[in-house]
Amino acid sequence: MAVNVAEHAGRVADILGHPGKMPIGDEWVAASSGATLTTSDPGTGRALAEVPLAGAEDVDRAVSEARQAFTTWRRTAPLERAAILWRIADTLEAHADELALLETLDTGKPLEHSRGYDLNSAINEFRYMSGLAARVNGRLSPLSTMPSGVFHSYTRLEPLGVIGAITPWNFPLANASWKIAPALACGNTVVLKPSEETPLTTIRAAELMLQAGLPAGVVNVVTGDGSTGQALVRHPGVNKITFTGSTSTGQEIARVAAENMTRVSLELGGKSPNVIFADADIEAAILGAVGGGFWDSGEVCSSGSRLYVERPALDRVLEGLRKATEAMPIGHGLEPDTAIGPLISARHLDRVSGYVEEARGEGVEVAFGGERLDREGHFYRPTALLGASPDSKVINEEIFGPVLTVVPFDDATEVIDAANATSYGLAAGVWTSDIAKAHHFSENVEAGVVWVNSYGVVDPTMPWGGLKKSGWGRENGEQALHEFTEAKAVCMQVGSL
Ligand code: NDP
């Protein structure tokens, strides 16, 4: 029986609890201007909910609440912070089904992905950062230029203060958690601006955090559009911006943040190479290429969107990709067997299809896919492009849709040069049974994460971030603690010279 999408969409207001409001301090408020935004279901194109369109005044209020909460949160005992983060994970887990439903309705991704990846990623992030909250330590540093025993010198890792967090629409709750959990573990407070396309899970999760015992004002949400994000970046009371989104917005944020010397970390776009050598387990590599290229409709920053295949394996890989994608049901994210959901918006569908049409016009072969679905919602078929030139747009620009370029290669040096030839450096994959090739590739590819004989494994313990135009800084892992603390050196004379 077909799923009744309208009935599920009708539950959104009940799940949200405070429809049309955002949590600032200990209140649920509308925008001071009264302005709102509508978020819609990409699987139907129909409206789901209205949220406030926060302006500079609302951002100012949220920052001031976060600043006030910082004075006590920073002094909360680390183990108490750890306990609250753990309780947040438990509370998210207890509400995982409703959060997954919201995420699927708002982003379009299959429910199985929302529950299996997004929710687990958020829950695991809070648990992992709970474990680190009592380990935000400085270190004793014996001096080299002064007599030992006379000076005692150590570093303190101190929280930065108010963190402005800005997230994109593809992994709303997971990305919010990757920012909130480490920021809180280190003693900071947060004002978070979700994407206008997908604000719902962030709003609901903030409410659940309060239920889990997080003091009011430690996490505040300002819903809105790019202008809300701009107000947050410009605000002099924000100590750091942690941003995930496109490279062009990241560049603008870096420029604006420089005015106040606000710290910035940026998780940006990618155009990641996924390389299959002929000696690999080809069936496993095909599955990895399908997941790397088409999972969540390719709306993934680390999508393995440039597939390089050693020439003897090309035909088998292409045929395997075609068969595997033909077997993937495309549909609304709530339909139980859906493997490929819609793209986020009609505008984005036009953008993705525009790239393919331009490539087709340049003589690039569309090996399979290359078309929209004739149904409501914003659907595009998994697509492979063969024969794109190294300087073409489809090889160099992030399409952020289910579009793979497939390029044959003849030797390891050639493919590493090709892999490194874009301005991005987020992720890379390599498939081979030769451990020497795997190490050589891992050492020489310009990427923040390299997957060997796998693609897309993400874990809270693994640092995440990019090189080149893929950004600055790292989320996850112990490295995240350095993104949310400042080292202070203390040097004390304790004896006579
Ligand atoms: P955008 O850069 O358009 O938007 C990201 C966020 O920034 C949104 O909340 C957006 O608001 C806000 N924003 C827009 N303009 C400004 C501004 N001038 N100042 C401050 N904030 C602003 O990215 P998308 O939402 O389109 O997300 C897709 C991009 O995110 C892709 O390039 C993808 O690669 C990248 N990404 C990177 C990841 C990583 O870990 N490296 C992970 C996930 C995505 P609004 O949406 O309301 O306009």
Side-chain angles (χ1 to χ4, degrees):
M1 200 175 73
V3 171
N4 187 337
V5 174
E7 191 180 312
H8 286 289
R11 290 181 55 206
V12 167
D14 284 343
I15 296 173
L16 286 180
H18 306 270
K21 304 264 172 78
M22 55 191 170
I24 296 186
D26 59 2
E27 287 187 57
W28 285 84
V29 299
S32 51
S33 66
T36 58
L37 279 173
T38 304
T39 175
S40 61
D41 173 356
T44 62
R46 281 181 231 131
L48 276 177
E50 301 246 308
V51 299
L53 169 48
E57 204 179 311
D58 305 300
V59 168
D60 187 49
R61 179 170 171 195
V63 172
S64 126
E65 292 287 351
R67 171 73 42 209
Q68 206 180 325
F70 178 59
T71 56
T72 45
W73 181 250
R74 70 176 303 177
R75 306 214 183 282
T76 306
L79 279 180
E80 196 179 331
R81 286 206 297 269
I84 291 174
L85 292 182
W86 196 273
R87 284 205 303 273
I88 290 175
D90 286 347
T91 311
L92 295 178
E93 195 165 42
H95 292 81
D97 289 342
E98 73 181 44
L99 286 164
L101 174 69
L102 284 185
E103 204 70 305
T104 286
L105 284 168
D106 219 6
T107 63
K109 67 178 67 191
L111 190 59
E112 194 191 332
H113 295 193
S114 296
R115 185 64 187 85
Y117 175 72
D118 297 70
L119 260 295
N120 283 340
S121 174
I123 293 162
N124 291 337
E125 186 74 17
F126 277 98
R127 294 224 164 101
Y128 177 71
M129 289 299 166
S130 163
L132 290 185
R135 294 179 51 207
V136 187
N137 300 324
R139 59 174 12 164
L140 198 64
S141 43
L143 299 181
S144 295
T145 55
M146 287 299 190
S148 112
V150 179
F151 283 86
H152 173 62
S153 173
Y154 61 94
T155 52
R156 296 168 51 84
L157 288 187
E158 299 191 337
L160 300 175
V162 176
I163 306 299
I166 303 177
T167 50
W169 44 258
N170 55 347
F171 296 100
L173 181 59
N175 278 156
S177 304
W178 288 18
K179 297 181 184 315
I180 293 172
L184 266 46
C186 296
N188 304 280
T189 57
V190 175
V191 177
L192 191 141
K193 202 232 56 96
S195 167
E196 66 190 292
E197 310 272 11
T198 56
L200 300 183
T201 47
T202 304
I203 299 173
R204 176 64 178 141
E207 181 171 29
L208 294 171
M209 288 178 207
L210 292 168
Q211 280 177 23
L214 189 70
V218 174
V219 171
N220 308 274
V221 177
V222 284
T223 51
D225 60 13
S227 69
T228 315
Q230 281 174 338
L232 191 57
V233 176
R234 279 205 202 99
H235 200 293
V238 171
N239 299 90
K240 170 162 186 167
I241 292 290
T242 167
F243 171 79
T244 299
S246 61
T247 295
S248 58
T249 305
Q251 287 168 322
E252 190 189 328
I253 286 175
R255 281 192 288 269
V256 174
E259 285 292 314
N260 293 321
M261 293 307 287
T262 306
R263 306 296 184 246
V264 175
S265 57
L266 304 168
E267 303 295 337
L268 308 176
K271 190 73 191 176
S272 302
N274 189 11
V275 173
I276 303 178
F277 283 97
D279 63 13
D281 173 343
I282 297 295
E283 292 310 310
I286 290 168
L287 282 182
V290 169
F294 302 129
W295 197 73
D296 269 3
S297 303
E299 295 176 324
V300 180
C301 51
S302 55
S303 165
S305 53
R306 288 184 293 143
L307 186 65
Y308 292 92
V309 186
E310 199 169 8
R311 205 172 297 273
L314 181 66
D315 290 346
R316 189 171 157 203
V317 168
L318 263 179
E319 183 54 16
L321 287 175
R322 195 183 53 72
K323 274 202 184 129
T325 50
E326 273 172 10
M328 293 169 92
I330 305 177
H332 193 284
L334 291 183
E335 283 159 19
D337 57 348
T338 291
I340 306 260
L343 298 179
I344 190 70
S345 63
R347 193 168 59 120
H348 189 53
L349 173 60
D350 285 345
R351 189 174 165 269
V352 169
S353 130
Y355 272 108
V356 175
E357 291 318 311
E358 190 173 331
R360 211 194 293 262
E362 288 164 359
V364 172
E365 179 189 342
V366 179
F368 57 81
E371 59 182 9
R372 302 164 185 243
L373 265 66
D374 184 18
R375 55 165 287 173
E376 68 171 6
H378 320 303
F379 293 88
Y380 199 75
R381 284 196 195 284
T383 299
L385 302 177
L386 200 56
S389 75
D391 56 359
S392 63
K393 274 195 191 173
V394 287
I395 292 281
N396 290 283
E397 296 184 14
E398 185 178 46
I399 299 175
F400 223 56
V403 181
L404 270 186
T405 56
V406 183
V407 176
F409 70 92
D410 295 300
D411 72 67
T413 308
E414 173 199 347
V415 79
I416 288 171
D417 288 347
N420 290 339
T422 74
S423 57
Y424 293 108
L426 185 56
V430 62
W431 300 81
T432 175
S433 55
D434 179 341
I435 197 161
K437 269 187 209 160
H439 280 299
H440 182 72
F441 182 84
S442 305
E443 184 178 340
N444 290 292
V445 73
E446 293 166 353
V449 58
V450 184
W451 291 294
V452 178
N453 294 331
S454 61
Y455 201 93
V457 176
V458 175
D459 190 276
T461 62
M462 284 170 58
W464 183 261
L467 315 181
K468 304 196 285 186
K469 287 190 177 170
S470 291
W472 293 341
R474 293 292 179 271
E475 300 195 295
N476 292 344
E478 295 195 16
Q479 277 82 351
L481 303 183
H482 296 282
E483 301 288 342
F484 291 104
T485 53
E486 202 90 76
K488 179 188 278 177
V490 180
C491 179
M492 203 178 276
Q493 184 164 355
V494 292
S496 309
L497 278 172

